[in-house]
Amino acid sequence: MIRKKNPYQNLSEASFWKVAISDKNMFDIGNLWSPKFIIEPHHRVSTFGSCFAQYFGASLKAHGFNWFITEPAPLGLSDTNKKKFGYDLFTCRTGNIYTTSLLKQWVNWALEKSDFPSEYWEYEGRFYDPFRPNIEPLGFCSIEEMFSSREQAIKSFGKAIKESDIIVFTLGLTESWFNKELGYEYPMCPGTIAGVYDEQSHIFMNQQFEFVRRNLSEAIDSIQHVNKKARFILTVSPVPLTATKSESHVLVATMESKSILRAVAGQLSKNRPSVDYFPSYEIINGTPFKGIFFESNQRSVSKVGVSYVMDTFFTSLDKNLNVSQNTIFHEKTDAATNLTELDDSMCDEELLAAFTGTKK
């Protein structure tokens, strides 16, 4: 019998589950990412987003790429204190930017499309920034110092979005908290890390697809308006939610949240030549990997898992884009060390676990 031609006949091996997955050892599964654009070692690459974005910055630096730091740590500050006070985690001291609406909020502040709020939190004579509640773990000495630090972070963020060649953004959450009257968003619910929760002033929102998509699109448009060369690599944090306010089981809430973020990132990547998607989420959560990249708590990504994700990232760049062979893998001596220094203590959301069992 002569088979008729069909659209599947000339597809690559990667298009078929049996030969791409079933017939392979899980560590031989390849071709998971085909980068859209060349990343040269001289390109300025900024990193922002949820906790998982921290790994991209450290890895870029370790592999000899130009991780663009616009708010360097003071001279002499130890590596431990750099991380404790939010230096060298992201391109500048924004703290975690979990949602696309928070990203747009930072963009609007930096481009002076909106004023940053005057809100501050006080506890036992120390002052905390509601938009970076853990950036000074013991609080600022004064209100003036807190606002000066926030202004510097916004200025540094503005420099990053205006001068970067590539911006890596890790989408982390859909669950979010807003000031009910003034409309601005907090990275964490007031009263968890610092501040006081007031149900009359604070409102919860579990963001849906169109809200997430619109905010990310508008943030990208605003950045490219002032920086036409800017390109973006989106990825979704594979780390499950620590806690949910959605009234769903935390597993169901996690799958809903990550599915929305993955769909948004995929759509923007498909529709915009300047936006690419890297599959961190799939590498850690994909069924072929059987959950082996999680620690025993089924939430934290192991060091092996992080290394596997980052190796996939740089191997794909090397294979597909002819990046300088003298750069990738030949300057990764400190890569493992840098990655293992990062742990959940830099994730504000992780602190929500402390509220387990406090229900009255």
Side-chain angles (χ1 to χ4, degrees):
M1 182 177 70
I2 300 177
R3 293 185 177 182
K4 295 180 180 179
K5 291 183 178 179
N6 67 71
Y8 291 89
Q9 288 178 323
N10 296 319
L11 296 179
S12 70
E13 180 180 289
S15 300
F16 299 93
W17 189 270
K18 183 177 185 304
V19 290
I21 305 292
S22 302
D23 293 348
K24 293 182 180 292
N25 180 291
M26 68 176 78
F27 295 109
D28 292 329
I29 297 171
N31 299 316
L32 292 173
W33 183 45
S34 296
K36 277 186 179 179
F37 27 80
I38 294 173
I39 304 176
E40 294 286 356
H42 68 273
H43 284 153
R44 290 174 167 176
V45 186
S46 293
T47 57
F48 295 104
S50 70
C51 313
F52 203 76
Q54 299 170 18
Y55 298 122
F56 280 88
S59 294
L60 285 163
K61 180 180 178 182
H63 286 83
F65 283 88
N66 184 8
W67 183 26
F68 192 29
I69 297 294
T70 57
E71 190 173 7
L75 291 175
L77 197 65
S78 69
D79 289 342
T80 298
N81 280 331
K82 284 180 184 176
K83 291 179 172 55
K84 183 178 179 181
F85 293 98
Y87 292 101
D88 290 358
L89 299 179
F90 307 102
T91 284
C92 58
R93 295 178 82 201
T94 57
N96 296 306
I97 301 177
Y98 289 112
T99 64
T100 62
S101 45
L102 268 175
L103 175 66
K104 191 179 80 169
Q105 185 167 277
W106 273 93
V107 170
N108 287 344
W109 290 344
L111 300 182
E112 299 181 344
K113 291 186 174 183
S114 63
D115 295 330
F116 65 82
S118 58
E119 183 174 347
Y120 62 88
W121 294 336
E122 181 179 1
Y123 179 70
E124 294 186 342
R126 304 291 291 186
F127 300 90
Y128 296 82
D129 188 342
F131 308 100
R132 305 175 301 152
N134 204 32
I135 207 73
E136 289 280 336
L138 298 178
F140 291 93
C141 294
S142 65
I143 297 172
E144 291 75 18
E145 183 186 38
M146 190 216 76
F147 280 121
S148 176
S149 174
R150 188 193 297 173
E151 288 179 21
Q152 181 58 57
I154 293 171
K155 181 180 178 181
S156 301
F157 182 81
K159 179 178 177 65
I161 63 175
K162 291 174 183 174
E163 299 181 14
S164 292
D165 297 293
I166 295 161
I167 297 173
V168 179
F169 182 68
T170 302
L171 292 79
L173 294 175
T174 58
E175 297 195 14
S176 53
W177 290 89
F178 288 79
N179 183 293
K180 189 183 294 187
E181 179 183 358
L182 301 175
Y184 50 76
E185 182 176 353
Y186 306 95
M188 293 290 295
C189 176
T192 52
I193 296 179
V196 177
Y197 173 69
D198 176 6
E199 64 180 10
Q200 301 301 316
S201 302
H202 304 130
I203 187 169
F204 171 76
M205 176 191 288
N206 195 6
Q207 302 179 5
Q208 298 303 297
F209 177 91
E210 181 52 28
F211 187 88
V212 177
R213 188 207 63 79
R214 185 174 66 252
N215 280 292
L216 184 53
S217 292
E218 291 176 1
I220 290 173
D221 287 342
S222 294
I223 293 171
Q224 292 186 322
H225 182 72
V226 296
N227 180 4
K228 298 189 184 308
K229 67 182 178 183
R231 289 163 294 173
F232 298 83
I233 297 176
L234 305 177
T235 192
V236 174
S237 168
V239 180
L241 276 63
T242 299
T244 179
K245 183 61 177 63
S246 66
E247 300 184 355
S248 297
H249 188 286
V250 69
L251 176 61
V252 176
T254 293
M255 298 305 292
E256 178 182 353
S257 180
K258 301 297 178 178
S259 297
I260 289 171
L261 298 176
R262 174 62 185 88
V264 168
Q267 185 176 94
L268 264 65
S269 174
K270 297 291 184 187
N271 294 343
R272 291 175 175 245
S274 61
V275 178
D276 200 358
Y277 173 75
F278 174 73
S280 304
Y281 178 69
E282 287 84 346
I283 293 170
I284 300 299
N285 286 279
T287 55
F289 298 104
K290 303 177 174 56
I292 64 167
F293 293 134
F294 285 107
E295 298 283 7
S296 58
N297 63 8
Q298 297 296 302
R299 179 177 183 273
S300 304
V301 178
S302 68
K303 296 166 185 173
V304 172
V306 172
S307 294
Y308 194 78
V309 169
M310 299 316 309
D311 282 350
T312 301
F313 183 84
F314 290 106
T315 301
S316 301
L317 287 176
D318 187 27
K319 179 179 178 182
N320 291 278
L321 300 177
N322 297 319
V323 176
S324 171
Q325 297 295 318
N326 291 324
T327 298
I328 294 182
F329 299 118
H330 296 281
E331 296 187 31
K332 62 181 295 187
T333 307
D334 297 329
T337 301
N338 289 340
L339 291 177
T340 55
E341 287 174 353
L342 293 171
D343 55 39
D344 283 342
S345 64
M346 269 64 74
C347 295
D348 297 341
E349 193 207 9
E350 180 71 14
L351 300 176
L352 292 178
F355 296 91
T356 302
T358 58
K359 181 179 179 182
K360 296 180 180 179

